[in-house]
Structure formats: C-alpha cells, structure tokens
Amino acid sequence: MTEDPTATLTRLRSSIDNIDAALVYLLAERFKATKQVGHLKAEHGMPASDPAREEQQVARLRSLAEQADLDPAFAEKWFNFVVAEVIRHHTEAADSR
C-alpha cells in the first residue's frame, strides 16, 4: 500500500523544516565564531578579509559538495554570500575600535 500523496508531502515538508532549523542554528554558531575572529583581527590590526584563506575554503567546499552530491557552484555561491556578511562584521569590528 502506497502512502497518500498528501501524507508524503506533509512528512517531507516536516523533514525540510527540521533541516532548515538545524541550518539556522549552525549558521548562528558559525557567525559567533567568525565574530570572535573579527574582534581578534580588529584588535591586532589584521585585514578584514583573507583572500588566500577564502580561496582554500572555496576549493575545500567545492570538493565536499561533490562528495555530497551537491552542485559545487551552489556551494561556492553560498560560501561567497556568507563570507560577504562575515567581512561586513569584521569591518564593523575594526571601525568600532
């Protein structure tokens, strides 16, 4: 007996909602760590961005995405979006000193 399509949709959406919640909490944890990095950089006069590190991270995340069967270009876009926000936080930390 196959599951009712409406029940399947509800079950799948519930799973998606749980994953979205986990992603939000993981992003919050990531930003807590990057804000600490921003304060450390500001305190020691270090630049807000680190292009070499960002390049290494893009390569690492693209590889992870391939292993996870996720579009590497999407993983890179996501990373670039997050890094832009991180750099904004780091710049604000430097400006507030």
Side-chain angles (χ1 to χ4, degrees):
M1 176 180 213
T2 57
E3 188 175 9
D4 171 55
T6 303
T8 301
L9 183 60
T10 300
R11 180 179 51 76
L12 291 170
R13 284 180 172 166
S14 178
S15 180
I16 290 166
D17 292 350
N18 288 336
I19 293 166
D20 286 346
L23 287 171
V24 166
Y25 279 93
L26 286 170
L27 279 171
E29 286 301 310
R30 188 186 196 288
F31 277 105
K32 286 176 190 172
T34 60
K35 282 185 179 186
Q36 290 176 22
V37 168
H39 291 297
L40 181 68
K41 285 181 171 184
E43 186 176 319
H44 295 281
M46 301 165 85
S49 70
D50 184 344
R53 164 118 170 111
E54 292 163 24
E55 188 176 315
Q56 291 170 346
Q57 285 296 90
V58 165
R60 185 176 81 80
L61 291 175
R62 287 184 68 91
S63 176
L64 287 170
E66 287 174 8
Q67 293 170 32
D69 198 27
L70 179 69
D71 180 3
F74 173 78
E76 184 172 349
K77 285 180 201 172
W78 169 83
F79 178 73
N80 289 334
F81 177 76
V82 170
V83 166
E85 185 68 8
V86 168
I87 291 170
R88 187 180 71 76
H89 292 170
H90 290 187
T91 302
E92 285 177 1
D95 291 346
S96 70
R97 290 231 165 247

